[in-house]
Amino acid sequence: MPRPDARSAVHTADLDAPPENAYRLVADVLHWPLLFSPCIWSQVLDASPAEVVPAAEPAPTSGSAPTSEPAPTSGTAPTSGSDPEPAAETPPRPFAGLGATDERIRLWAVVGTGVRSWTSRRTLDPAALRVDFAQQEPSAPIVRMSGHWSFGTDPGTPVATHRLALHHAWATEGGQEVGDRIEAALDHNSKEEIAAVKAWAERPQAPEELIFSFSDELLVDGPVSEVYDFLYRADLWPARLPHVAALDVETAPESPAGTDVEVQTMDMKTKGADGSVHATQSVRLCFADRRIVYKQTTVPRGLLGHTGEWLFEETSAGTLVTARHQVALDPGSLEGVFGPGTTLESARRLVRDALGGNSRRTLGEARRHVESLGKAVR
């Protein structure tokens, strides 16, 4: 039997920012879908503190993050007899992973031409500014994959210049052609990730100033399966949702992303309140009757990233459906999109109104559709 094709690679970049800034971006995996273009969704499955060491603190920036944000809502959903009202913005979640930690994570990402999922074990060491990782059960043709991120200064380089490095070591089965394909995909994603960490770490704004989240929820008098089906059947949205001008969707019922998920790719044109039409592309992960996770792979102007999910919960009064959004603002384009004098605070409000408005309209139409089905069989 042929031996696995073992390979390794190192991707580097000069970093004109404190290395602690870059470390924090890599340490907090829950923000990766907004930071890294290949990453669709991320989860921390479990985490345990390791030996306690001083955490890497964020370096000061030229700006300062808002000192306070509106408090979350109480979580009370509008009843099935009323349309959802805008909920309060969720306070920015501080970037986590700042203490030495051993954690197990699951990632869904675009690899080559498809979406793959894997589970990795990570060890985070903020004192050494290093993050080690190893896939636990790699999917074919990969038989092992490990590596580490490092953040520091190379001897002989200017004091203000630091080195960002991403190391990989892996092995594949299936011959050289398969190995070359995996190496090309890894090379593409690694370059994207290195560039993203560098760009975010060197921004004058802290990530917490640009990233925010919010949610809306609605109680629907109907079963989870029917509410889920309305949001899953995006191919029917142009006929069901007034703000959707056109939509093309492809569904892959089986993929390396996992046996319990369907992957959808969507091209959608959305009508704005002013009559303008905006084109976006998205990837969706559909977990039947539980959740639909999505990431816009082509975002509207004014945004660096936008991800979200639809969550479904069965209650005694019906189905509680929640629309969650996580957004990263593009500070360099805000005035060009929203007008002169636009601040981060006003941009958050405008983006929340636009994205949340579409979600609330979708929730309202879902409620009307599902509850009309119930009336028809009574």
Side-chain angles (χ1 to χ4, degrees), residues 29-75:
V29 73
L30 293 181
H31 280 116
W32 280 15
L34 286 177
L35 306 182
F36 298 156
S37 58
C39 186
I40 304 301
W41 192 36
S42 58
Q43 290 179 298
V44 176
L45 302 179
D46 57 64
S48 58
E51 181 182 355
V52 177
V53 295
E57 295 296 334
T61 61
S62 60
S64 60
T67 56
S68 64
E69 293 289 344
T73 60
S74 62

Side-chain angles (χ1 to χ4, degrees), residues 203 210 300-305 328-335 344:
R203 289 187 181 279
L210 303 180
R301 289 182 61 225
L303 303 185
L304 294 170
L329 297 174
D330 180 1
S333 66
L334 295 182
E335 291 195 347
L344 290 175

Side-chain angles (χ1 to χ4, degrees), residues 47-287:
S48 58
E51 181 182 355
V52 177
V53 295
E57 295 296 334
T61 61
S62 60
S64 60
T67 56
S68 64
E69 293 289 344
T73 60
S74 62
T76 302
T79 65
S80 61
S82 61
D83 283 333
E85 295 295 330
E89 183 179 315
T90 304
R93 186 181 62 80
F95 273 56
L98 302 185
T101 302
D102 180 74
E103 66 181 13
R104 190 167 59 96
I105 65 171
R106 187 173 183 184
L107 300 175
W108 284 259
V110 176
V111 179
T113 58
V115 175
R116 286 180 171 269
S117 176
W118 62 89
T119 301
S120 293
R121 176 66 65 180
R122 300 204 312 166
T123 301
L124 298 91
D125 189 340
L129 295 179
R130 177 173 168 132
V131 178
D132 288 86
F133 58 87
Q135 290 189 15
Q136 291 190 304
E137 295 180 0
S139 57
I142 299 172
V143 294
R144 62 178 179 271
M145 174 77 73
S146 63
H148 69 272
W149 291 84
S150 61
F151 316 83
T153 303
D154 286 342
T157 59
V159 175
T161 301
H162 303 279
R163 176 68 72 175
L164 169 65
L166 173 56
H167 301 250
H168 281 96
W170 72 96
T172 59
E173 293 180 331
Q176 181 174 342
E177 184 176 347
V178 171
D180 290 346
R181 176 169 54 83
I182 295 299
E183 182 170 3
L186 183 144
D187 181 66
H188 174 271
N189 284 9
S190 296
K191 288 177 178 176
E192 293 271 348
E193 292 166 1
I194 283 280
V197 172
K198 174 180 170 65
W200 275 92
E202 292 178 352
R203 289 187 181 279
Q205 305 89 0
E208 292 86 347
E209 294 183 73
L210 303 180
I211 292 175
F212 68 103
S213 60
F214 58 90
S215 63
D216 297 293
E217 55 187 29
L218 184 66
L219 186 62
V220 179
D221 184 11
V224 168
S225 59
E226 291 179 1
V227 182
Y228 174 88
D229 186 71
F230 183 94
L231 294 166
Y232 168 77
R233 290 297 306 273
D235 57 310
L236 301 178
W237 284 4
R240 291 175 165 178
L241 301 177
H243 64 277
V244 176
L247 192 147
D248 180 45
V249 61
E250 294 183 4
T251 302
E254 295 182 6
S255 76
T259 58
D260 61 340
V261 59
E262 291 183 324
V263 178
Q264 292 183 335
T265 54
M266 291 172 40
D267 290 276
M268 183 166 65
K269 293 183 178 179
T270 306
K271 301 174 187 175
D274 59 356
S276 60
V277 176
H278 306 276
T280 58
Q281 294 178 317
S282 302
V283 175
R284 302 207 309 175
L285 306 175
C286 303
F287 302 85

